[in-house]
Each structure stands twice: as structure tokens, then as C-alpha cells.
Amino acid sequence: MKLAILGFGVVGQGLAEILANQCEKTRQQTGMAPKVVAISDFKIGSLYDPNGLDLDKVLHLAATVGSLEDYSNSATLVRGLDAMTTIVQTNADVIVEATFTDIKTGEPAITHCKTAFAAKKHVVMTNKGPIAMAYKQLSELAAENGVYLGFEGTVMSGTPALRLARTALIGNTFTEVNGILNGTTNYMLTQMEDGMSYHDALKQAQEKGYAEADPTSDVEGYDALYKIVILANIVMGEALTPDDVERVGLKTLSAAEIQTAKQQGKRWKMLGTIRRTADGMKAAVKPILLDSSHPLSSIDGATNAITYSCDLAGDITLTGAGAGKKETGYALLSDLVDCHFFMEENRKVTNQ
């Protein structure tokens, strides 16, 4: 399996570190032996060697000088390929899409996916935008071209929220999904319950790296909204769009309401919800008051959690990290393993 990594920031480097240092157990268990042949990043540079790149050297340069310029030359090394050229002209058979994506348009990742599929190349990604905005189109294009599309990390990073629903809970009808899908707002609510103001809680979340300098996507619910759209499409089979989801930001919740709930033994949580009703699918991202008996009530800090309400298995709750360099890198690794088995099965069919 030859990989081209598009985007070599936190996510791309997280995967590279796993491949460089912790992939032997995966190889022993699955037979998968991935080799990174190309990296394309508009900030630190681009490298392509059809025989494979030295990930230790690449990671060292990225960490120390922030540039791949000093990567040693070889007879087969090519520099400076942009993302589109990397997709089309390299010998990679799997594209790892880890670029920054405009969440409103899903670009440039949607175009990267379409280009890869047309070139008969598989794609794994953690970008929410393309799956939230164009899942149906992309999944159909992947199927038409006989290639794999992986996106496990788009909802809860390395916590296998999608794979749980699609594999371990297969055969169930999901009547409702409730999730704490944004660690920033859950962290802030935990701090606000202890008496901290909204602004101080946000400042602390930013200092800890949970929130960006511009926290709008987190506190206004956009991050969780796109995850709910993905869950609706993938898990519940409903073609919802972002416009179909009610969205209410965390700012609408007052400190007095939080303290009153605490005195009553209840807790406010910023939840993403999807429910099947007699009037159709209802989806929302907003603060919701939970009783102490609710499985999501006890989730503190930056942790994510999701509860699937199933007709056969009942309520199943999964908790775990919703972000992080290693965790998101692992989400990509899990998709690569799935892609490996997909490729092996296709080879068997072709050779019959």
C-alpha cells in the first residue's frame, strides 16, 4: 500500500508518527505494510519518491525547521508537486486527505476526492466538510470507480463512533442519536458549573488548546452540526443537509441557568441530536438540560460521547477523545486497515 499525504499539519504528522514508530503490530495483525511515497503541503513543502520517503527524517524536519527543503536528494526524489499533481502523477494508490477544508464548501478536499476516484485511487480522510456536504455524491463516485472512501475520524476522531454503528451494531434500526460531539463546549460547561464565567472558560479552553483563536465553530455549534449531518447520513440513512439542523449556540445559556440545574442535580450539555418522529427526522445542536440518570450527563471535560438508541440492542453509549494528534492519526490508520482488506478482497475477485 503506497500512500500520498495531502496536508502535513497535526493530522498528517500524527499518522506519520504512528507509521514510523508504532505500525509493526498492525502489520503483524493484518499484513498491511503502508509506505508513504509522497507528502504535499503548501506551507512546508512537497516531496515524492516512488520508492518511499524516510518518515523519521521528514518528521524531524517538520518539527525542527518547519520545512522539507533540507530533505536529502536522491535520484528518484521529486520536489514541489502540488496536491492535484500528487494525486494524479505519483504511484500512490491511497490518498490521505488531511488538508485544511473550508467547512462551508468542503473544498479543496471534495475536488481532491473526485480527482483521486477518477484516477482509481482510494481516499481516507478526517475532514468533516466533504462528508457533510457531499457524502452521497462522493460515495457513489467511489463505488463507480471501485475504490474505497474512509472517513471514520470525521465524528469522534480515533473513537470509533461510525464503525461501532456500521459494524458492531449492524441489524439495528437507530431511533435516536444523542452526542456530546464537541470537546471545547463540554469543557467550558464543566468549568462554568464550578463557577467560572463563559469568557473565562473560553479563555482557559483556548490556553489548553481545546479552542481555536476564533472559537466560532465550537461555541456556535457548527462543528457539532456537521458531525450530526454525517451521523444522519451514514448511520440513520437520512439525506440531511446542514440547513436541516436547528443550531443554538452556547452563549444563549446563562450562568444562572447552569447553577440552578446544578442545585437540582441536573446538568446542561451541548448536544447534537437526531430523532425519528412521525413528522420525519428532527436534528438539532443546542444546550439541553439532562437528568442525572442520562448516560451523557456524567461526561466531563473535553471528552466526547455518543448514545445510539437501537431497536434491538437498546441504548449503547461510547465515550472517548474527540480530537488529538495521536487519536486522529489513529482514525486514519483504522481506515487504512479497512482499505487494506478492501484492496485484498478486490485482488481475490480479480484473480478468480
Side-chain angles (χ1 to χ4, degrees):
M1 176 186 284
K2 298 182 180 67
L3 312 181
I5 302 177
L6 308 184
F8 206 62
V10 172
V11 175
Q13 290 181 39
L15 174 63
E17 288 176 3
I18 292 172
L19 295 179
N21 304 316
Q22 297 174 275
C23 204
E24 178 59 22
K25 184 176 181 180
T26 305
R27 187 194 65 77
Q28 292 175 359
Q29 292 174 330
T30 67
M32 182 183 76
K35 177 190 296 184
V36 176
V37 298
I39 293 170
S40 180
D41 185 281
F42 76 96
K43 285 187 177 180
I44 69 171
S46 300
L47 302 171
Y48 167 50
D49 189 327
N51 298 317
L53 297 171
D54 185 326
L55 290 181
D56 288 329
K57 290 181 180 179
V58 168
L59 288 165
H60 176 73
L61 289 172
T64 56
V65 297
S67 170
L68 303 181
E69 184 66 29
D70 292 335
Y71 186 88
S72 55
N73 285 315
S74 70
T76 52
L77 185 71
V78 178
R79 298 178 183 272
L81 301 184
D82 62 18
M84 294 292 281
T85 308
T86 297
I87 294 169
V88 175
Q89 294 188 9
T90 68
N91 67 338
D93 44 31
V94 182
I95 305 301
V96 179
E97 218 303 332
T99 65
F100 176 80
T101 301
D102 185 331
I103 200 66
K104 294 181 180 179
T105 65
E107 294 294 358
I110 290 177
T111 297
H112 292 165
C113 289
K114 291 178 178 178
T115 304
F117 297 156
K120 307 297 183 185
K121 298 189 178 188
H122 312 279
V123 174
V124 300
M125 70 169 76
T126 57
N127 288 330
K128 296 182 293 292
I131 305 303
M133 303 297 294
Y135 169 70
K136 186 174 186 295
Q137 181 187 29
L138 293 178
S139 61
E140 289 175 352
L141 282 173
E144 288 171 9
N145 287 281
V147 294
Y148 176 87
L149 172 62
F151 44 85
E152 176 59 49
T154 58
V155 173
M156 282 175 61
S157 186
T159 304
L162 293 175
R163 194 155 281 126
L164 172 70
R166 301 173 81 188
T167 57
L169 296 177
I170 195 167
N172 283 278
T173 295
F174 298 95
T175 56
E176 191 169 337
V177 177
N178 293 280
I180 296 172
L181 302 174
N182 181 268
T184 300
T185 49
N186 201 58
Y187 176 83
M188 290 174 62
L189 280 168
T190 301
Q191 301 308 108
M192 291 165 72
E193 283 180 334
D194 291 337
M196 192 174 287
S197 71
Y198 171 91
H199 293 290
D200 286 344
L202 175 57
K203 182 180 179 182
Q204 190 171 94
Q206 289 171 322
E207 290 172 350
K208 289 181 174 292
Y210 298 147
E212 301 288 343
D214 179 358
T216 302
S217 180
D218 294 324
V219 298
E220 294 299 329
Y222 290 103
D223 175 65
L225 182 151
Y226 286 102
K227 295 173 182 178
I228 280 295
V229 171
I230 292 170
L231 286 162
N233 279 268
I234 307 304
V235 174
M236 303 190 80
E238 296 289 334
L240 263 63
T241 70
D243 292 336
D244 298 321
V245 182
E246 177 189 3
R247 181 188 55 78
V248 179
L250 184 60
K251 280 184 179 180
T252 61
L253 190 61
S254 70
E257 289 175 298
I258 293 172
Q259 293 306 312
T260 298
K262 183 177 180 180
Q263 293 166 10
Q264 296 173 345
K266 300 180 179 182
R267 304 186 80 180
W268 284 95
K269 292 295 179 183
M270 190 75 170
L271 291 190
T273 64
I274 320 167
R275 293 184 296 113
R276 296 189 192 276
T277 73
D279 298 323
M281 196 67 64
K282 302 295 183 183
V285 173
K286 60 183 179 181
I288 295 178
L289 185 62
L290 300 180
D291 290 327
S292 59
S293 59
H294 195 285
L296 299 180
S297 176
S298 62
I299 306 302
D300 288 325
T303 303
N304 281 198
I306 192 165
T307 298
Y308 291 114
S309 296
C310 312
D311 64 337
L312 302 178
D315 286 355
I316 305 291
T317 300
L318 177 69
T319 67
K325 184 179 187 179
K326 179 175 64 177
E327 293 84 355
T328 310
Y330 172 71
L332 289 168
L333 180 68
S334 70
D335 275 339
L336 289 173
V337 170
D338 206 30
C339 182
H340 166 74
F341 289 130
F342 177 91
M343 294 166 69
E344 288 298 303
E345 188 62 31
N346 281 355
R347 287 193 189 100
K348 291 178 183 178
V349 172
T350 302
N351 293 332
Q352 284 180 353

